[in-house]
Amino acid sequence: MGTFATLLGLAVLDSINFSAIIGTLYLLTGTDRFRSRVSTYLAALYLVYFLFGVLLISGIGLLGRIGDGIAVDERTGYAIQGVVGVLLFAYGLFGRTKSGGGARRPRSFGLVAVFLAGLAVAVLEAATALPYIGAVAILTRENYGLVEALPILVVYNIIFILPCLVLLFAFSVRGDALRGRFQAFIDRQRDRNTGRKTFLLIAAIVGFFLLRDSLLYFEFFGFVDLPDDIRERIGNP
């Protein structure tokens, strides 16, 4: 249960992707054909993130097979988790609170252009991939193979785009009432970046706990009194 709770927390953090959300709001308020445009945009986001997770799981699994019987999967998982924890914590503390003027309004609302915009957001937003890498590290640590991990990746990425899906549903039902509010939200994000500040705070907190868990596994803290069975497992992987 603890593992799935951690994965859920990472997925929720990953869903606070303001480039994806602002891009969705632009499409909702900028064209009458918003359903097909937003659906295409989110399909691109989902596709890139899902395939990225599959590649990560497959790559780490290959590393485990190269180890020829050595239990690298669990140790590698904790090591990657620790690195992701450091990066998230540092990013939360030192990341820029301003994003350079915010997302830009797309020049074209054609399906191909919208799909390419979704691909660009997923590929270029490297910071938002850190929770995903942490989730993959946890799956590797728990010895999930690709087949076992696929349903989790499917659900994780649904959560990743869930805020945008909620916005699409709400706008489909109450578009006239929400159009002005959505546009005002876009303008506020340009000026104040409050959403980005919130994301940085959450990233720092999540990074701290990921790093702490990794350091405990490697007995980094000499004063930690680990149970004998855990010590034996760590000493004889």
Side-chain angles (χ1 to χ4, degrees), residues 206-228:
V206 172
F208 170 80
F209 283 106
L210 288 176
L211 177 60
R212 185 199 64 170
D213 190 37
S214 176
L215 293 177
L216 288 176
Y217 174 81
F218 290 107
E219 294 189 290
F220 184 84
F221 303 109
F223 55 84
V224 175
D225 186 18
L226 296 176
D228 292 338

Side-chain angles (χ1 to χ4, degrees), residues 22-23 46 49 63 66 77 110 138 162 172 186 190 204 224 227:
I22 295 297
Y46 189 96
Y49 259 66
L63 178 62
I66 293 175
I138 291 173
L162 187 58
S172 298
I186 294 173
R190 287 173 177 164
V224 175

Side-chain angles (χ1 to χ4, degrees), residues 130-141:
L130 292 176
Y132 199 21
I133 296 173
V136 170
I138 291 173
L139 292 175
T140 303
R141 181 190 77 194

Side-chain angles (χ1 to χ4, degrees), residues 140-201:
T140 303
R141 181 190 77 194
E142 299 296 329
N143 295 317
Y144 280 84
L146 179 59
V147 175
E148 296 85 359
L150 280 178
I152 298 176
L153 293 179
V154 169
V155 175
Y156 184 103
N157 285 287
I158 289 175
I159 296 174
F160 170 64
I161 64 171
L162 187 58
C164 298
L165 290 174
V166 171
L167 291 173
L168 174 59
F169 174 78
F171 197 81
S172 298
V173 176
R174 301 274 296 175
D176 292 338
L178 292 175
R179 185 180 301 275
R181 295 182 183 181
F182 284 178
Q183 187 59 55
F185 178 82
I186 294 173
D187 295 337
R188 284 199 305 272
Q189 293 308 306
R190 287 173 177 164
D191 297 334
R192 291 164 32 183
N193 287 282
T194 54
R196 183 168 178 81
K197 293 177 182 177
T198 302
F199 172 77
L200 291 176
L201 175 61

Side-chain angles (χ1 to χ4, degrees), residues 103-120:
R104 295 181 179 178
R105 184 179 295 275
R107 292 174 179 265
S108 171
F109 290 109
L111 290 177
V112 174
V114 169
F115 186 82
L116 292 176
L119 292 180

